[in-house]
Amino acid sequence: MSWSHATFLVAVLLSLSLSQEVDSAAVPDDKGTTKATDPRGPLREIFMTEADAANFFRRRSRRAAKSQDEIDAEQRQVLAADKRKRENHEEQRNEFENYAEEEHDEQDERTRESTEQWREFHYDGLHPPQEYNRQST
């Protein structure tokens, strides 16, 4: 960048900074209503007036008693959370019980198969087969 371009750039920036009409180069200065002062703007939805804020804090301090509506709403939220937690635990317990039952059945089947194989392997054909692991009455 040559010195003439740099000088021109400095001159433009200096004139813009000394100008009374320009607050910002990116946002034009409108003399009409702006969003901050427009009561229908998005900031109206977020912020409240000072009087409303003072009344809010005066009406409800940290040590003030809660209204019955607030207590009821909090209790409903706690009960709903407890119900969701209870349902979740019940679902997890059912899933684990199903898994444990399947594992137990598979283990029983493997044990039964290995016992039958052992009996077949050890049977000599001369004597009647022994009744292993059976309760005699």
Side-chain angles (χ1 to χ4, degrees):
M1 191 159 93
S2 67
W3 64 272
S4 62
H5 289 287
T7 307
F8 176 73
L9 186 59
V10 168
V12 168
L13 290 175
L14 185 62
S15 66
L16 285 176
S17 65
L18 294 177
S19 174
Q20 295 292 332
E21 294 182 12
V22 177
D23 289 335
S24 164
V27 179
D29 186 23
D30 290 338
K31 298 299 178 189
T33 61
T34 61
K35 288 185 179 181
T37 59
D38 188 12
R40 295 166 299 188
L43 292 178
R44 178 68 180 151
E45 298 171 5
I46 297 172
F47 296 106
M48 61 176 63
T49 62
E50 186 176 350
D52 291 341
N55 287 336
F56 174 79
F57 286 116
R58 190 177 305 124
R59 184 175 61 232
R60 177 70 197 277
S61 67
R62 272 196 294 178
R63 297 185 183 197
K66 295 179 182 178
S67 68
Q68 189 62 40
D69 292 335
E70 289 176 314
I71 294 171
D72 292 343
E74 289 177 2
Q75 190 64 26
R76 281 192 302 272
Q77 289 178 344
V78 168
L79 291 174
D82 288 345
K83 181 178 178 183
R84 286 191 303 269
K85 190 185 299 184
R86 191 170 42 252
E87 289 172 354
N88 184 28
H89 285 292
E90 182 179 351
E91 181 179 339
Q92 288 180 349
R93 187 180 63 241
N94 289 339
E95 288 176 3
F96 178 74
E97 286 176 356
N98 291 340
Y99 168 77
E101 185 178 355
E102 288 176 8
E103 284 292 318
H104 188 260
D105 292 345
E106 289 175 5
Q107 183 64 39
D108 284 347
E109 181 69 20
R110 287 192 295 268
T111 303
R112 187 187 59 76
E113 288 175 0
S114 65
T115 304
E116 287 178 4
Q117 290 174 358
W118 188 89
R119 287 181 186 157
E120 289 175 7
F121 181 77
H122 290 285
Y123 178 60
D124 60 358
L126 301 176
H127 303 288
Q130 297 288 332
E131 294 290 328
Y132 293 103
N133 296 327
R134 302 251 174 119
Q135 299 290 329
S136 60
T137 55

